[in-house]
Amino acid sequence: MAVAKVSLLDALHEHFGFDSFKGNQEKIINSILSGKDTFVIMPTGGGKSLCYQLPALMLPGVALIVSPLIALMKNQVDLVRSYSSKDNVAHFLNSTLTKAQIKKVRSDLTSGKTKLLYVAPETLTKQENLDFFRELQISFIAVDEAHCISEWGHDFRPEYRRLKEMIDMISDELPIIALTATATPKVQSDIVKNLVLRSPEIFISSFNRPNLYYEIRPKRKKDQTIKDIVKFIHSHKGKSGIIYTLNRKTTEELADMLVANGIKAVAYHAGLDAGTRASRQDMFLLEEVEVIVATIAFGMGIDKPDVRFVIHYNIPKSLENYYQETGRAGRDGLEGICVCFYSHKDVQKLEHLMRDKPLSEREMGAQLINETVAYAESSVCRRKVILHYFGENLEKDNCGNCDNCRNPKEKIEVKNRVVIALKAIQSLEERFGSEYVVNIITGKTNPQITTFKHDKLDVFGEGKEFDEHFWNSLLRQMMLEGLIEKDIEEYGLLKIMDKGKNSSKNRTPSWFR
Ligand code: ADP
Ligand code: MG
């Protein structure tokens, strides 16, 4: 269905009162209106909801929106209703409704009054619901927070895995729209595969937040770190900030220390009762406190535009988490300072937290932690590293707004080591991942290596003067520079890219000096 541009703007104005579309919204909406499978990757706050809400209101029938969080569902429905004169234009269907409420929702659906129905994935597991939906005219299915499909997403939901199967039981012809704010290339490919998107139109918005300043500070003694934080906050007097820590106890301790130093601060974590949490959140929003010291339980759905700093007292468990958490700074486009304290001890703490998890989960967790370690230890532009993590390439080498760009570290001569790494990958015929490659370079054996006689390779042990951290970090920098890539379709096997093939022969790459 072709919808003229002017009428789309009119519809936007009519239904939401906005005068213009943000970012890719218009193109996305056109894709949905034309019945194509569509994949939307847009940072938080970018305006994803409108991308499916407007076409849902315009198309005949009702759109089903799959959303993982019951609490957010109600907010969404209230929001849509607030724009409309009719309450029954949007409903949700989940386990919190009474029988009478369900009956009302169903009757509004059957009579065609409802244009948007929010459902939890669990709702779709019930056969009676599927049977009911099969009789309805459905315009399309939107899968919000689609990263929940992937084990590599930061909040994997196993029920999301079965969505396609359940959607097909309603009809296998429904267009599917997947939306997420956090999709690394690996997660993206999981989403497309799992939902079996049919030649989807893919819209990726930039993840760059130019107004955020990124900095890593070494974390030494506790007293010193706290002093450092107090000094930082004093130099940003009256500004709002969030401090993230790893556990509940630390939030309390740190908040007490700040208060003792004349800073208005409170702790926030999942161990507090709902009333206390709500009131502390309000205190922060109303600026009765300047600083909230929180575990990652804090932040979901918080929309305070003028948070001026986000401090990580501990290194986060993934770069994705870091991006989300720092993303709460500078929503208004003005200054946002993101400081992360880094010590290797905290890395061990994170690893320790996973000790009781199944092996596969531990391996995955370890890889995610590795990426944050690489970020913290890198001398490359921080923004470049973060964006690369999301599959985006920052063209310039110096962003001017991170510690590494403002105070470039002395670059070390690593050319020979790059050559060793390339040689190892080549000798292994590009058929192994980084862990294996690093074992070869540092000269470690394991049964697999002996079986394949890789310990007889020339390059075996050629880099043993440096440890595995060094080599892992170098491999990651080589990925950033585009010399090698991790084949996400193939278990992360390292492949040499054209630039890598040439670089072993000629010039030293720009920042490998
Ligand atoms: P996301 O789901 O991508 O995090 P939301 O859909 O919650 O983002 O939208 C974020 C904010 O942007 C909301 O307050 C919404 O009303 C606003 N918004 C969305 N589209 C527009 C637009 N075209 N013009 C103005 N504001 C918009
Ligand atoms: Mg959203």
Side-chain angles (χ1 to χ4, degrees):
M1 180 168 70
V3 176
K5 193 173 174 182
V6 54
S7 78
L8 212 51
L9 264 185
D10 283 349
L12 174 73
H13 194 75
E14 180 196 332
H15 293 292
F16 295 93
F18 297 140
D19 295 325
S20 59
F21 288 103
K22 287 211 289 192
N24 286 331
Q25 278 178 336
E26 188 172 7
K27 285 189 229 150
I28 295 165
I29 291 167
N30 274 320
S31 168
I32 300 176
L33 287 174
S34 62
K36 289 194 197 119
D37 280 359
T38 306
F39 187 11
V40 178
I41 300 158
M42 195 188 271
T44 305
K48 283 185 288 300
S49 324
L50 193 122
C51 294
Y52 56 79
Q53 287 167 343
L54 187 60
L57 293 168
M58 295 171 73
L59 289 169
V62 59
L64 295 190
I65 295 114
V66 183
S67 167
L69 288 170
I70 290 178
L72 294 185
M73 232 179 257
K74 185 166 180 324
N75 287 347
Q76 290 266 335
V77 167
D78 287 346
L79 261 173
V80 180
R81 287 177 181 169
S82 72
Y83 290 118
S84 168
S85 51
K86 296 173 236 109
D87 269 1
N88 45 22
V89 69
H91 276 301
F92 60 85
L93 197 58
N94 62 35
S95 54
T96 65
L97 297 186
T98 62
K99 279 219 167 77
Q101 287 171 320
I102 293 176
K103 204 167 156 208
K104 164 84 174 103
V105 171
R106 286 193 169 203
S107 112
D108 282 345
L109 282 163
T110 313
S111 64
K113 290 181 188 131
T114 300
K115 306 299 295 172
L116 292 109
L117 181 70
Y118 284 82
V119 295
E122 291 79 3
T123 312
L124 294 179
T125 57
K126 299 211 174 79
Q127 191 60 44
E128 51 163 345
N129 286 331
L130 294 178
D131 291 340
F132 176 72
F133 293 148
R134 218 182 343 243
E135 300 305 314
L136 293 177
Q137 181 181 13
I138 293 177
S139 48
F140 59 85
I141 308 262
V143 180
D144 206 357
E145 316 289 349
H147 59 272
C148 293
I149 280 181
S150 172
E151 284 172 348
W152 293 93
H154 56 99
D155 36 25
F156 173 52
R157 295 289 219 90
E159 327 73 272
Y160 259 66
R161 273 287 160 98
R162 294 190 47 220
L163 280 179
K164 173 63 177 169
E165 191 188 318
M166 300 184 287
I167 292 168
D168 277 351
M169 283 195 257
I170 303 171
S171 156
D172 56 11
E173 281 174 7
L174 294 172
I176 299 177
I177 324 305
L179 308 100
T180 178
T182 59
T184 59
K186 172 82 185 150
V187 175
Q188 285 176 26
S189 106
D190 273 5
I191 293 171
V192 172
K193 267 196 218 146
N194 255 287
L195 288 174
V196 201
L197 298 182
R198 295 144 291 196
S199 347
E201 291 253 25
I202 302 180
F203 298 93
I204 304 181
S205 312
S206 174
F207 277 66
N208 193 6
R209 298 277 312 272
N211 60 317
L212 297 191
Y213 168 76
Y214 300 106
E215 178 179 332
I216 292 281
R217 293 193 191 184
K219 187 173 176 184
R220 295 184 190 96
K221 291 211 174 70
K222 191 169 167 182
D223 292 355
Q224 188 53 46
T225 308
I226 292 174
K227 241 191 225 160
D228 211 2
I229 293 177
V230 168
K231 195 170 150 210
F232 176 93
I233 298 174
H234 278 312
S235 67
H236 294 85
K237 201 93 210 97
K239 305 270 174 72
S240 291
I242 306 173
I243 302 179
Y244 282 109
T245 76
L246 207 54
N247 57 49
R248 297 170 183 186
K249 203 174 107 225
T250 321
T251 63
E252 308 268 3
E253 272 176 24
L254 208 53
D256 288 347
M257 293 295 288
L258 296 185
V259 171
N261 280 283
I263 295 164
K264 285 185 251 162
V266 286
Y268 184 102
H269 55 76
L272 299 167
D273 63 84
T276 311
R277 268 185 289 159
S279 87
R280 292 191 177 174
Q281 190 168 307
D282 285 346
M283 285 166 84
F284 182 64
L285 291 176
L286 300 171
E287 304 191 353
E288 286 160 18
V289 296
E290 305 158 36
V291 177
I292 199 142
V293 189
T295 57
I296 53 169
F298 179 77
M300 255 292 189
I302 294 288
D303 201 4
K304 184 167 167 46
D306 57 350
V307 172
R308 295 276 81 96
F309 58 88
V310 171
I311 297 176
H312 279 75
Y313 183 73
N314 306 89
I315 189 163
K317 62 176 192 236
S318 75
L319 262 191
E320 194 143 346
N321 282 37
Y322 192 60
Y323 182 82
Q324 291 301 323
E325 285 149 24
T326 53
R328 291 174 187 131
R331 284 272 176 92
D332 53 8
L334 303 175
E335 187 181 50
I337 304 174
C338 311
V339 176
C340 176
F341 285 90
Y342 170 65
S343 75
H344 208 75
K345 219 161 132 198
D346 283 347
V347 176
Q348 288 161 348
K349 270 191 210 162
L350 278 179
E351 284 165 351
H352 189 67
L353 283 178
M354 301 192 297
R355 69 193 177 280
D356 297 326
K357 300 262 168 73
L359 181 65
S360 62
E361 221 170 296
R362 273 197 328 252
E363 278 175 354
M364 212 150 10
Q367 283 203 40
L368 294 175
I369 294 171
N370 256 333
E371 310 257 12
T372 54
V373 170
Y375 169 78
E377 291 180 351
S378 176
S379 55
V380 179
C381 167
R382 307 262 181 226
R383 194 174 309 279
K384 204 177 175 81
V385 179
I386 291 176
L387 292 179
H388 182 264
Y389 183 77
F390 289 106
E392 195 176 327
N393 185 24
L394 186 72
E395 288 297 337
K396 47 188 178 188
D397 279 335
N398 188 315
C399 77
N401 204 18
C402 73
D403 53 354
N404 284 343
C405 287
R406 286 199 192 162
N407 308 298
K409 292 187 188 120
E410 221 179 293
K411 302 226 162 121
I412 45 164
E413 171 65 67
V414 295
K415 188 178 175 199
N416 296 341
R417 293 153 212 169
V418 170
V419 173
I420 295 178
L422 289 170
K423 187 169 150 194
I425 297 168
Q426 208 163 27
S427 312
L428 294 168
E429 295 169 0
E430 306 188 336
R431 281 166 46 211
F432 292 87
S434 32
E435 201 184 316
Y436 198 92
V437 172
V438 169
N439 277 338
I440 296 298
I441 298 175
T442 53
K444 291 211 180 73
T445 49
N446 63 32
Q448 200 184 358
I449 290 177
T450 12
T451 312
F452 288 140
K453 300 203 169 59
H454 285 154
D455 49 350
K456 301 285 183 285
L457 288 174
D458 245 16
V459 69
F460 185 78
E462 218 174 283
K464 60 173 177 282
E465 57 181 310
F466 297 99
D467 67 1
E468 61 193 75
H469 286 298
F470 173 86
W471 289 107
N472 273 314
S473 153
L474 184 71
L475 287 176
R476 262 183 294 264
Q477 298 202 19
M478 289 167 67
M479 282 178 222
L480 273 175
E481 182 69 2
L483 300 178
I484 57 174
E485 68 176 342
K486 207 170 6 181
D487 189 341
I488 51 164
E489 299 296 327
E490 276 205 80
Y491 319 103
L493 305 188
L494 295 182
K495 308 265 165 172
I496 300 176
M497 298 174 79
D498 286 345
K499 200 167 160 192
K501 286 176 190 144
N502 300 329
S503 87
S504 50
K505 295 185 211 107
N506 45 49
R507 288 176 310 113
T508 315
S510 58
W511 42 263
F512 282 141
R513 270 179 294 229

